[in-house]
Structures are given as C-alpha cells and as structure tokens.
Amino acid sequence: MKIAVVGTGYVGLVTGTCLAEIGNTVVCVDTDKAKVAKMQNSQVPIYEPDLETIFKRNIAENRLTFTTDLKAGVKGAKAIFLALPTPPGEDGSADLSCVLGVADELSNILESYTVIVNKSTVPIGTAEKVAERLSVKSEASLDVVSNPEFLREGFAVEDFMKPDRIVIGTNSDKARQVLAELYAPFVDQGSPLLFMDVRSSEMTKYAANSFLATKISFMNEIANLSEKLGVDVDAVRLGIGADDRIGRRFLFAGIGYGGSCFPKDVTALQKIAQVSGYDFKILDSVNQVNRDQRKLLVEKIKNHFGGQLSGRKFALWGLAFKPDTDDIREAPSVDIIKGLIKAGATVTAFDPEANGNISQLFAGEKGLKLVEHQYDALDGANALVIATEWAVFKSPEFATIKNKLKTATIFDGRNIYHPTDMEKQGFHYESIGRKVAQGE
Ligand code: NAD
C-alpha cells in the first residue's frame, strides 16, 4: 500500500519505517528541512534501538523516502498518517495548530478517496474537527480515523512491530477495510485490532497514559510514606506486582515521570474534563505528586549537605527522561541540574545518548559540563547523582567510583543499587522509599 506519514518525529519516523518494513511504500513528510536532508542522506535523526538497521534497509529498497513537499509526499497515498506534535498550550490543553494546519493544507491537495489516520494524541472530538477542515475545500471523499499510538520510546520498534493491541476509531466501513488490510500482518501474528467509534478511540489514549501516570504517582506516594515507616518500597513493589490484577510494570518508585507524553497528556485530560464541567480529582493529585517527586532528590542532597551546596560539585549519570532514548523532553535530570546550579553547585554529567540534546538545551548557561565517559564525571565530585536507569549504570566499578569521588556518596533517583550492598561497600547511599545506607 502507498502510505504517507506527515511529521517524522519519534512516532512518525518509527511508524513510517515499520510500515515500510512490512512491504508498504512510505513517504515521510516533515517541515524540518535539516532533519529531512539528514534522512535523505540515510542518517537517523533520533536514537531508538533497532531503528537504524530497518531504516537503512528500507531506504536501500526504495520503500522509504523523505520530503518537505506535502503535495508531492501524499500523492497517490491510500492512507495519510498524521504524527504531528500536540504540545501543551498556555492553559495546558493540547495545541492542535499543527494538526489542523496540515488538515487545511491537505484540503487544497487531496483529489481522491484517502483515509486520514490520526496518530497524534488529541482531545476527544479532534477527528471531527479535522474532517470539517478537510471538507471545506476538498471535493474528494475522505475519512478521518483515530489510531492512537501506544509505543514506548526506547522500545518503539518492538512495540510497533508487536503491539499489544491496535486501536482504530472509525464509523466508516471503507476506512475500516483500508486499515484492516494495512494492519493484517500484525493481526496475523496475534495482535488484536480493536475497532471502536472515533471519540472512544481518542479517549483510550488519554485514559491509557493517565492510568500509567497514576500508577507511578501512587507508587511514589507509597515510597515517600515507606521512608517514614522503615518500609522497603521495593519489597512492597514485588509483593503487590505479583498480583495479576495489579501487574509488575510501572510500579517502580523514583523521581517522577517525564517525557513528551505523560506530563502533557495528564494535563490535557485535566483540561478536557474541566471544559466538560467534570472535576477529575485523581488527575490533580497525580500531577501534583509528580511535580513534588521531581524535587525530591535535590531536597535530599540539600539536607545531606546541611543546606550548603554553594561551591560543591556533583556528578550526574543519566540525562534522558528514560533509558534507551536521547529524548530529554520533561526529563527529571533537567530539574536536578537547574536545582543544583541554582543552589550554587556545579554539575558534571554523562548520558550514553542524550549529551547532545542537553548541551543544546543548556547552551550558554554556566555550571554544567558534559563528559563522554561515565567515570570522567566523578573526578572530585562531592556525590554521584543518578537520574536515569541506563543498563550501563547498573553494575559499575564501585571501587573506581569511591576513588574518584571526594566523599563516597550516592543519591539514586532510580533505585538501581541495594542499600545493604552500598552500606557494605562503604557508601552513604540515599534512594527513594528505602533505608539510607550510612556509609563509613
Ligand atoms: P516529535 O516532536 O518527535 O515529532 C513531530 C514532528 O513533526 C517533528 O519532526 C516536526 O518537525 C514535524 N512537524 C511539525 N509541524 C509539521 C508540519 N506542519 N508538517 C510536517 N511535519 C511537521 O513528536 P512525537 O514525539 O513523534 O509525537 C507526535 C504525536 O504522537 C504527539 O501527539 C504525541 O503526543 C504522540 N505520541 C508520542 C509518543 C512518544 O513516545 N513520543 C507516543 C505515543 C504518542
């Protein structure tokens, strides 16, 4: 099938590449000229495991091409995927200007039946708005379908290729047929295709992300209470996660969720509820708990050093909002760096993939240095701070860490070490929801 994908970010590029991988001919359209030039040069603009191999293979097979020209890109496409940004507007609601802007452009372009498939996370009723915009000028019969994306950054290719489910919101039989044909290879391998009405599909995405964010904030509250009561939150996690009704995932206590989705989607759903005259009480707390949790590590550091951070130096491991991505949108590391610098400290940081994005974000600002090797961040630092649970941080050479740090002190925002082990190794070790190892 000939497919166009408009917006070639984390979702669009993975969608386009994976749809090409199963044999479709895909044109990816993006307004970012530098990004398109890079992709035309066979360079992947983001870090995502396994993406580069299939990206290059499908370019070589002429199934995957890139353009900035929307009209040329969508020519002959049976389905046009919209994977456009929907960032929070000033009031927290999703900003639909990109999605509606592209709909306006398409209304001038489309000449024959096309299915517009919306992959962006959008408020309930957006497909209807897009359809209205398209019908203003376009004489072609069009269907606007909701097909929310559930991929996780860091596992995006795996999640796209082996989805738990594919949700499609449409009332049109014609659109249903096109998408059933396109997704048939996934259904054949066992992934269920869930058809529903458009509005329910749009809500499914917000409900999924808000539920997962709720799980995280709930566990962080349990962790904070555990610290006061001498309870080990990791034992509690294992104890409740073994229950199928609860499940093992998204129960890790830490320094809060980040990324481009959870924070904005929880806030957008709050706004949707507010506009609809419904007081969605849980979401207010989920948001507030997360905001507080992101400040926790800097507070622990301040307490440990008697409120005196001026002139101190900290090593920071992990900048991406989660492992296996270079994405730093809403990353807790950014709050930690800002908090430490504001308190008069300096930070030397390392991330396996996100150094480049952080250096752009902090360009021209003082107090942050980035290094290419994790152990180089440690030299003469008062403590090591861990903000992302990259695998490479999980079994480090503790003797080297101890030698390089000024004092053997670790603040772990992701609970990747065990307090008892750290105590034996002579570290002062503070984590989330577990006992403090006092060190030597
Ligand atoms: P992104 O910012 O990584 O990518 C968006 C891309 O769209 C960029 O390359 C940008 O240059 C391009 N773009 C902007 N305006 C354009 C226009 N008018 N025409 C063509 N291209 C344009 O965003 P993302 O993370 O891929 O997210 C896209 C949507 O998918 C959002 O609604 C997001 O909430 C949703 N989503 C994201 C994830 C995720 O893990 N990132 C997961 C599920 C859903």
Side-chain angles (χ1 to χ4, degrees):
M1 195 180 290
K2 180 152 191 247
I3 305 289
V5 178
V6 187
T8 318
Y10 286 86
V11 169
L13 183 57
V14 171
T15 301
T17 307
C18 292
L19 288 177
E21 177 71 2
I22 56 168
N24 299 290
T25 305
V26 180
V27 183
C28 290
V29 184
D30 205 289
T31 43
D32 184 335
K33 287 185 184 142
K35 195 183 223 182
V36 170
K38 223 173 167 181
M39 295 187 289
Q40 285 170 334
N41 234 353
S42 294
Q43 284 174 272
V44 190
I46 54 168
Y47 174 73
E48 190 60 54
D50 305 326
L51 184 61
E52 191 166 5
T53 314
I54 56 170
F55 172 85
K56 290 193 165 156
R57 177 163 59 229
N58 285 284
I59 292 173
E61 296 289 338
N62 282 328
R63 283 196 301 262
L64 184 62
T65 51
F66 306 93
T67 180
T68 51
D69 183 342
L70 183 67
K71 191 172 179 180
V74 301
K75 196 166 188 290
K78 209 163 173 183
I80 301 173
F81 282 77
L82 305 183
L84 294 157
T86 48
E90 265 176 33
D91 64 353
S93 59
D95 178 350
L96 291 177
S97 53
C98 265
V99 172
L100 296 178
V102 169
D104 285 340
E105 285 185 66
L106 288 174
S107 71
N108 285 315
I109 294 173
L110 298 177
E111 286 167 356
S112 58
Y113 179 74
T114 316
V115 184
I116 313 297
V117 187
N118 183 38
K119 273 226 162 283
S120 299
T121 304
V122 291
I124 292 85
T126 300
E128 292 153 27
K129 278 191 190 155
V130 171
E132 262 170 44
R133 296 284 187 116
L134 285 165
S135 65
V136 172
K137 289 188 191 144
S138 177
E139 287 182 7
S141 70
L142 304 164
D143 277 314
V144 181
V145 165
S146 160
N147 174 209
E149 183 50 61
F150 300 100
L151 62 76
R152 296 161 299 165
E153 286 179 26
F155 299 89
V157 171
E158 188 186 328
D159 285 349
F160 195 94
M161 294 307 248
K162 291 180 190 152
D164 290 338
R165 78 304 207 183
I166 298 160
V167 171
I168 293 171
T170 182
N171 302 325
S172 151
D173 285 342
K174 218 168 162 185
R176 200 183 156 111
Q177 264 175 26
V178 171
L179 287 165
E181 185 191 332
L182 181 68
Y183 282 122
F186 301 96
V187 178
D188 292 345
Q189 81 191 358
S191 302
L193 202 50
L194 305 177
F195 284 104
M196 56 183 77
D197 66 274
V198 181
R199 288 181 157 243
S200 303
S201 167
E202 289 170 336
M203 177 60 107
T204 300
K205 176 64 192 174
Y206 280 114
N209 274 3
S210 299
F211 184 77
L212 293 172
T214 303
K215 239 179 144 178
I216 295 171
S217 278
F218 177 82
M219 248 355 241
N220 282 334
E221 291 256 73
I222 293 287
N224 297 341
L225 180 59
S226 294
E227 275 183 30
K228 292 188 184 297
L229 299 174
V231 170
D232 179 343
V233 75
D234 269 344
V236 178
R237 170 175 61 79
L238 294 171
I240 65 171
D243 184 331
D244 277 349
R245 293 170 302 174
I246 294 173
R248 289 189 167 82
R249 293 157 79 183
F250 283 83
L251 289 183
F252 288 82
I255 43 175
Y257 56 76
S260 68
C261 293
F262 285 6
K264 91 170 163 62
D265 293 348
V266 171
T267 308
L269 186 55
Q270 272 178 301
K271 197 69 203 171
I272 291 166
Q274 197 187 324
V275 170
S276 312
Y278 182 74
D279 181 13
F280 205 140
K281 300 175 201 67
I282 290 176
L283 290 185
D284 297 342
S285 303
V286 170
N287 237 336
Q288 188 57 49
V289 168
N290 197 57
R291 273 198 293 269
D292 292 348
Q293 203 70 14
R294 295 166 66 103
K295 296 180 196 145
L296 202 61
L297 216 52
V298 173
E299 280 166 17
K300 282 177 189 271
I301 296 169
K302 279 184 183 161
N303 283 342
H304 177 73
F305 289 103
Q308 296 301 317
L309 296 192
S310 186
R312 294 194 195 274
K313 187 179 162 190
F314 291 92
L316 178 64
W317 281 1
L319 298 167
F321 85 92
K322 62 188 272 192
D324 295 311
T325 180
D326 60 351
D327 197 344
I328 56 158
R329 291 179 284 186
E330 299 281 334
S333 67
V334 174
D335 288 1
I336 292 171
I337 295 169
K338 286 183 178 166
L340 292 174
I341 292 176
K342 196 172 165 209
T346 56
V347 179
T348 305
F350 166 79
D351 187 280
E353 295 294 339
N355 276 12
N357 284 337
I358 285 284
S359 105
Q360 269 180 23
L361 186 70
F362 283 86
E365 289 186 41
K366 287 196 177 121
L368 173 67
K369 186 179 159 199
L370 296 164
V371 290
E372 292 302 315
H373 301 286
Q374 71 191 71
Y375 294 100
D376 290 350
L378 303 164
D379 294 314
N382 292 90
L384 166 63
V385 182
I386 293 169
T388 316
E389 64 278 32
W390 281 92
V392 73
F393 302 150
K394 289 189 176 169
S395 298
E397 292 163 17
F398 286 110
T400 310
I401 297 179
K402 220 168 158 184
N403 279 339
K404 286 184 166 254
L405 289 177
K406 210 181 234 171
T407 47
T409 306
I410 299 179
F411 294 92
D412 178 0
R414 300 296 180 184
N415 288 1
I416 61 175
Y417 310 132
H418 297 284
T420 315
D421 295 344
M422 290 294 99
E423 202 146 67
K424 277 189 204 144
Q425 308 244 25
F427 281 95
H428 176 90
Y429 175 71
E430 297 194 33
S431 53
I432 311 293
R434 305 183 304 172
K435 73 172 184 183
V436 175
Q438 295 300 347
E440 285 164 347

